[in-house]
Amino acid sequence: MSRFSLPRRRRQPTTWSLVTLVVIVLLLIAAPMSALAQEGDSPAVAPPYIVTLQPGESTEIPVYGFCLNYSLPFPNQLLDPTDLANEPLRNAAIYSLETGYVDTNTWDVQKAIWYLSDETRLEDQDYTIADEIIEHANSGVTPVDVVEGVPHMIDLINEGVLEAQVNDFVNIAEDLGSFFGGGTLVITNVSEEAQQFVVSYGTVGQDDSEGVNQNMLIFPSEPAPEQPTTMQETVTTEVPTTGALLPPAGFAALALIGVVVVLAGLAATRTRRRPTNAV
């Protein structure tokens, strides 16, 4: 009699199956994690600036203002809100806040606003960023300051239930010119009922003093405070944007658990199925 061992070639398919399984699982993990990274790189979206005032109550909101009338003098320190700016102008302000262009590329924002206001386009100027803003402004996207069931501040001013004025409005970019200012918007509820409204990202501010000065595109310069969408208490259920029951990070955790379970199972199987020796 002789003893010999059968070739152990049947282990190779198991090894290749294990490698394939691990690659698939890693790909499943990488996809949602990549999506999370992309979401983290996106600019923060400016929320609608919703305010609720009780009867007789006032609020103060820091605001920025860009010139709407090229070549006219800078306005005085008091501005009256007169109209709601059109959607492209408001989209330009919102986009410029979200991207940080208001602070980092103030002159480019102004060039975009002049063009959207009256199609003024300056010669011998770089319009790369300004055209980016203009393209977004004219894309047809609904401005985030449009909230169903909540009126704009200017609507309630026209109804006589709110009073508003921009105080201490001054040029805050003197090194660039006379087109960009900042001040404080003071709003008062002069009615006998609570009022909820949206302070838009584009109210036309007008200087009513003598002479003809720039009208300004006025909008909040700081993030909106947390406010309910309506004055009625609502209960909502949040669903992940993926449409599933778990966010991407949850799937990654489950996938890792799955890898551990599968590897443990394969190891146990291979331990039980040792090579058979023939005599």
Side-chain angles (χ1 to χ4, degrees), residues 108-125:
D108 294 301
V109 176
Q110 181 59 74
K111 288 184 292 185
I113 288 175
W114 274 331
Y115 181 81
L116 293 167
S117 177
D118 56 13
E119 297 188 349
T120 295
R121 195 173 180 91
L122 306 179
E123 296 181 359
D124 301 324
Q125 291 282 331

Side-chain angles (χ1 to χ4, degrees), residues 84-114:
L84 180 67
N86 63 37
E87 290 195 355
L89 282 170
R90 284 152 49 211
N91 277 331
I94 294 164
Y95 184 74
S96 299
L97 280 173
E98 292 174 345
T99 56
Y101 288 158
V102 169
D103 298 318
T104 62
N105 298 82
T106 311
W107 178 235
D108 294 301
V109 176
Q110 181 59 74
K111 288 184 292 185
I113 288 175
W114 274 331

Side-chain angles (χ1 to χ4, degrees), residues 151-195:
H152 285 279
M153 174 190 70
I154 198 68
D155 297 329
L156 298 187
I157 291 174
N158 293 335
E159 291 179 12
V161 298
L162 292 181
E163 291 182 353
Q165 188 174 61
V166 178
N167 297 332
D168 304 320
F169 189 78
V170 296
N171 185 358
I172 57 176
E174 293 183 4
D175 57 327
L176 299 176
S178 300
F179 60 86
F180 178 57
T184 303
L185 174 63
V186 181
I187 312 169
T188 303
N189 179 3
V190 294
S191 73
E192 296 180 355
E193 298 179 355
Q195 301 292 339

Side-chain angles (χ1 to χ4, degrees):
M1 290 187 180
S2 62
R3 297 178 65 89
F4 61 92
S5 300
L6 292 176
R8 302 182 181 182
R9 295 179 181 176
R10 293 186 179 181
R11 291 189 178 184
Q12 186 174 359
T14 302
T15 302
W16 281 109
S17 299
L18 177 59
V19 172
T20 303
L21 178 61
V22 170
V23 169
I24 293 173
V25 172
L26 289 176
L27 289 175
L28 291 174
I29 296 173
M33 297 305 291
S34 175
L36 285 176
Q38 292 177 358
E39 289 177 4
D41 294 338
S42 302
V45 177
Y49 205 113
I50 301 175
V51 175
T52 303
L53 292 180
Q54 300 302 319
E57 186 179 9
S58 296
T59 188
E60 296 184 355
I61 300 173
V63 293
Y64 284 145
F66 279 93
C67 173
L68 290 171
N69 311 105
Y70 178 68
S71 78
L72 291 182
F74 197 80
N76 292 291
Q77 294 189 15
L78 297 180
L79 299 176
D80 294 323
T82 59
D83 297 288
L84 180 67
N86 63 37
E87 290 195 355
L89 282 170
R90 284 152 49 211
N91 277 331
I94 294 164
Y95 184 74
S96 299
L97 280 173
E98 292 174 345
T99 56
Y101 288 158
V102 169
D103 298 318
T104 62
N105 298 82
T106 311
W107 178 235
D108 294 301
V109 176
Q110 181 59 74
K111 288 184 292 185
I113 288 175
W114 274 331
Y115 181 81
L116 293 167
S117 177
D118 56 13
E119 297 188 349
T120 295
R121 195 173 180 91
L122 306 179
E123 296 181 359
D124 301 324
Q125 291 282 331
D126 181 1
Y127 268 77
T128 302
I129 292 179
D131 282 339
E132 176 190 332
I133 298 170
I134 292 168
E135 181 180 2
H136 176 81
N138 287 326
S139 65
V141 62
T142 301
V144 297
D145 61 8
V146 175
V147 181
E148 184 177 358
V150 184
H152 285 279
M153 174 190 70
I154 198 68
D155 297 329
L156 298 187
I157 291 174
N158 293 335
E159 291 179 12
V161 298
L162 292 181
E163 291 182 353
Q165 188 174 61
V166 178
N167 297 332
D168 304 320
F169 189 78
V170 296
N171 185 358
I172 57 176
E174 293 183 4
D175 57 327
L176 299 176
S178 300
F179 60 86
F180 178 57
T184 303
L185 174 63
V186 181
I187 312 169
T188 303
N189 179 3
V190 294
S191 73
E192 296 180 355
E193 298 179 355
Q195 301 292 339
Q196 188 175 68
F197 52 92
V198 176
V199 179
S200 77
Y201 288 101
T203 300
V204 177
Q206 182 175 331
D207 177 6
D208 287 335
S209 62
E210 293 184 3
V212 179
N213 297 318
Q214 302 168 7
N215 288 338
M216 307 299 293
L217 181 71
I218 302 296
F219 55 91
S221 61
E222 296 182 355
E226 293 185 4
Q227 290 280 346
T229 300
T230 65
M231 286 186 287
Q232 296 179 351
E233 184 177 354
T234 59
V235 178
T236 59
T237 302
E238 294 185 0
V239 178
T241 55
T242 56
L245 295 177
L246 289 175
F251 283 111
L254 286 180
L256 289 173
I257 294 173
V259 170
V260 174
V261 172
V262 170
L263 291 178
L266 288 175
T269 301
R270 294 178 63 183
T271 300
R272 291 194 301 268
R273 297 177 59 185
R274 293 184 180 276
T276 304
N277 294 331
V279 177

